Amino acid sequence: MSTAKTTAISFPPEGLIKELEGYCRPSSGREKTEEELKNIIHHWGWSWSPTKKLEPANLLFFHWLLLSDQLTEGILNTVLHFFPEAARLTSASKKTNLHIILRNKAVTLDLVKILVNAWPECIFCKDDDDLTALHCLCANPHLNASDKMEILEFLLQKNKGMVEISTREKGFLPIHFAAIHHST
């Protein structure tokens, strides 16, 4: 008789994901706060354990948060606390959360550091067209020059080689993205 245990994988309740999507949807008009996010998660009784998983299809709410100008360190840390595997999931086109957050007009160095600390390898990831996080930063015309330079210096400390990676389709380097998007 075998004594090996099998551990069942559990997924978040569909209602939790739907409520998170409704709350985080850009068109919801709702203010995004760490407290409200925790209330939604606690209402559904969700707590993380290694046997609980988040499917990539359930990440839409997280990507909307990463693009929200209301994103705070507290909100980001809350999602990663309750859904730690979210740090490593990528979109269908292989965009990491770092790619996504660097398109946010309100991105800060501290937000970038939280994502990189949660999954250090994301700094080396390229999407389906070989876009790196640096391409995304250079394509963001909304950041002021000093914030962009802080993030740029941090990214290059982690991976200097990303300045030489060109896109697959048109061969654009990050500097080309900066010029195209009139980015500083």
Side-chain angles (χ1 to χ4, degrees):
M1 180 179 277
S2 173
T3 59
K5 289 184 180 179
T6 57
T7 305
I9 302 294
S10 68
F11 297 93
E14 186 176 331
L16 169 60
I17 297 302
K18 287 189 183 298
E19 190 169 350
L20 286 170
E21 286 176 356
Y23 175 68
C24 299
R25 180 174 279 114
S27 61
S28 75
R30 294 170 68 181
E31 182 182 357
K32 312 300 185 269
T33 67
E34 180 182 356
E35 182 179 333
E36 184 60 25
L37 188 59
K38 285 179 180 178
N39 287 341
I40 292 168
I41 293 167
H42 288 300
H43 167 79
W44 288 94
W46 181 257
S47 62
W48 184 81
S49 80
T51 62
K52 294 184 176 182
K53 300 292 178 196
L54 185 64
E55 290 291 315
N58 293 334
L59 264 186
L60 186 57
F61 81 91
F62 188 42
H63 289 173
W64 283 336
L65 277 177
L66 292 175
L67 290 169
S68 171
D69 59 359
Q70 297 178 32
L71 182 64
T72 65
E73 294 169 45
I75 290 172
L76 184 53
N77 282 321
T78 296
V79 172
L80 294 174
H81 172 78
F82 287 101
F83 305 100
E85 72 279 11
R88 296 176 184 267
L89 293 176
T90 59
S91 71
S93 62
K94 296 186 181 173
K95 284 185 178 27
T96 66
N97 296 320
L98 185 58
H99 285 90
I100 293 167
I101 200 170
L102 288 171
R103 294 173 35 208
N104 186 329
K105 65 183 178 183
V107 66
T108 66
L109 177 58
D110 290 334
L111 291 169
V112 170
K113 284 181 175 180
I114 291 168
L115 285 179
V116 171
N117 287 337
W119 186 35
E121 294 83 10
C122 73
I123 205 82
F124 300 99
C125 293
K126 299 182 287 186
D127 74 1
D128 282 346
D129 191 34
D130 287 344
L131 286 175
T132 66
L134 185 56
H135 285 94
C136 296
L137 176 67
C138 290
N140 186 338
H142 304 290
L143 288 179
N144 68 49
S146 64
D147 289 342
K148 191 171 278 190
M149 286 305 297
E150 263 188 345
I151 296 169
L152 174 67
E153 288 172 7
F154 174 76
L155 293 176
L156 292 178
Q157 283 175 348
K158 299 290 184 184
N159 182 4
K160 287 184 174 115
M162 66 174 44
V163 297
E164 299 172 355
I165 297 174
S166 60
T167 59
R168 182 171 307 157
E169 193 171 306
K170 296 190 179 182
F172 288 161
L173 296 167
I175 191 78
H176 295 126
F177 273 60
I180 290 167
H181 296 281
H182 306 287
S183 188
T184 54

